[in-house]
Amino acid sequence: MNTWLSVALAVVGGLMLTWLLVIAAMLIVRPRGSLFTEAIRLLPDLLRLIPRLARDPDLPRGARVRLWLLLAYLAMPIDLVPDFIPVLGYADDAIVVAAVLRAIVRRASPHALNRHWPGTDDGLAAVRRLAGLPAATTP
């Protein structure tokens, strides 16, 4: 009985440590200042953009796989920070989306972002800043 308790405590402790490390990593890669607020505000448009990019055959296969994994993460009912917590609940989603988007744009053409963006031009400019691109769009 004591062995099972020790194992259970070790597993719970390991999970807590892993959770804290993931939260710390998200805080490191999160968008700074107003970009973070924009990322949360743009989350609905970003959620429409991701499947469009994931189905784009012009993107490298690795980029599309990352996008499908991102969609799976966003669809999971369990989040790192529960969504019912005001503002912070969606912050983890916005941070993960921004980090994956940066990685995708580095591997693929920024023109794919322009082609598939479902929102306004101002929203596209904000997403380009999130992805580390210049705000000006090019056709």
Side-chain angles (χ1 to χ4, degrees):
M1 184 71 168
N2 253 348
T3 304
W4 288 106
L5 182 60
S6 296
V7 169
L9 288 175
V11 168
V12 169
L15 288 173
M16 290 294 291
L17 180 62
T18 302
W19 180 78
L20 289 172
L21 289 173
V22 169
I23 294 293
M26 283 194 336
L27 290 174
I28 291 169
V29 301
R30 79 180 186 279
R32 303 287 185 234
S34 65
L35 279 180
F36 182 70
T37 306
E38 286 178 315
I40 292 174
R41 181 179 57 83
L42 292 171
L43 199 53
D45 286 334
L46 288 169
L47 292 176
R48 289 195 311 263
L49 171 70
I50 293 166
R52 291 177 181 187
L53 286 172
R55 289 188 300 265
D56 187 349
D58 294 335
L59 289 180
R61 181 183 174 111
R64 290 193 320 258
V65 167
R66 285 183 193 173
L67 290 164
W68 286 115
L69 290 172
L70 174 62
L71 283 172
Y73 168 77
L74 293 173
M76 285 185 347
I78 299 171
D79 275 346
L80 294 171
V81 179
D83 288 341
F84 63 82
I85 297 173
V87 181
L88 294 177
Y90 294 103
D92 65 327
D93 295 340
I95 292 168
V96 171
V97 167
V100 170
L101 196 58
R102 282 183 202 151
I104 298 304
V105 170
R106 286 185 186 131
R107 291 196 60 185
S109 166
H111 299 293
L113 180 67
N114 296 348
R115 222 176 30 246
H116 294 292
W117 178 247
T120 64
D121 290 340
D122 290 339
L124 177 60
V127 169
R128 290 178 63 85
R129 284 191 305 272
L130 269 174
L133 297 170
T137 59
T138 57

